[in-house]
Amino acid sequence: MTEEEVRRRPGGRGARVRQAVLDAAVDALVEHGVTGFSFADVAARAEVNETSVYRRWRTRENLITDALLAVSDRRVPVPDTGSVREDLYAFATLVVEYLNSPLGGALARAAVITVEDPELAAAREEFWRSRIRSAGVMIERGVARGELRAGTNPRLALEALIAPLHSRALLTREPLDEDLPRALADLVLDGLGARDGGRAATA
């Protein structure tokens, strides 16, 4: 088997090395932030050759973006409480906790980094599309339970929920306080005309 085949084989050595580098990159970001981030430090933490890191990611910005996007879906899982209102509240709460953390703050900054590598740029875009799709199940469940009208757009609902959080974290730097998730969940569902306050309709 060639080195290229090993690198591409799912679950092979290449995949393990990539994950080790991404984990090391996250640790480096938490400890040093973006300005103190370097290939040399990440390579040392991951116990790999620095040239291997450079060959795969090319720039610090590419590696920062890839690492943060790889970990964010683990930190913000999609809740299933049985109520669309509580789902959106719980999801927004997780986003607030994430953005208030050192790692989440780094993610907010990484979101505006230009990625020159077309493959990594496409991967980042696909990640966000995938996250919206996976989180969209909260809206779909609400429709199925009769809490929301048929035809409710999951993407628009989720963008309305989380965009203000990212706006505060990235643009205005206003605090993401503990009351904000509930207020946003209520605002979104009121705008969607949620039935029975976002609780499942009963016969």
Side-chain angles (χ1 to χ4, degrees):
M1 181 176 292
T2 67
E3 181 180 349
E4 180 68 12
E5 289 171 332
V6 170
R7 186 179 67 82
R8 291 184 176 182
R9 186 177 63 180
R13 180 179 179 277
R16 292 193 297 272
V17 169
R18 180 178 184 276
Q19 188 59 54
V21 172
L22 292 177
D23 290 343
V26 169
D27 290 342
L29 282 168
V30 171
E31 185 172 338
H32 299 302
V34 174
T35 56
F37 187 89
S38 71
F39 276 167
D41 182 36
V42 170
R45 291 169 185 263
E47 299 182 346
V48 300
N49 194 296
E50 184 178 349
T51 58
S52 298
V53 179
Y54 174 79
R55 186 165 55 247
R56 173 63 180 85
W57 282 277
R58 299 294 181 184
T59 69
R60 292 188 323 134
E61 291 77 13
N62 286 346
L63 178 53
I64 289 169
T65 300
D66 209 13
L68 291 174
L69 294 181
V71 75
S72 62
D73 59 339
R74 301 198 302 266
R75 293 285 298 272
V76 188
V78 178
D80 184 4
T81 67
S83 159
V84 68
R85 190 174 296 273
E86 293 307 309
D87 280 352
L88 295 185
Y89 165 61
F91 188 73
T93 298
L94 289 172
V95 173
V96 165
E97 292 173 353
Y98 190 29
L99 291 175
N100 277 336
S101 71
L103 182 58
L107 171 62
R109 291 187 292 273
V112 296
I113 294 175
T114 299
V115 180
E116 297 178 356
D117 187 317
E119 292 184 0
L120 286 174
R124 182 174 68 173
E125 292 167 5
E126 176 55 30
F127 170 79
W128 286 112
R129 285 194 294 266
S130 176
R131 286 296 293 164
I132 290 293
R133 285 196 301 267
S134 63
V137 72
M138 295 183 291
I139 303 300
E140 294 166 1
R141 289 192 302 246
V143 172
R145 289 191 297 253
E147 300 166 284
L148 298 172
R149 295 188 180 92
T152 298
N153 188 313
R155 182 185 182 95
L156 290 179
L158 289 168
E159 287 177 345
L161 179 72
I162 64 175
L165 302 177
H166 286 274
S167 176
R168 286 197 178 197
L170 189 61
L171 300 177
T172 67
R173 302 298 178 92
E174 294 176 78
L176 297 171
D177 55 61
E178 61 183 13
D179 297 328
L180 192 56
R182 177 66 72 186
L184 286 172
D186 290 344
L187 182 66
V188 169
L189 289 174
D190 289 348
L192 292 174
R195 300 169 181 171
D196 295 327
R199 295 179 292 275
T202 57

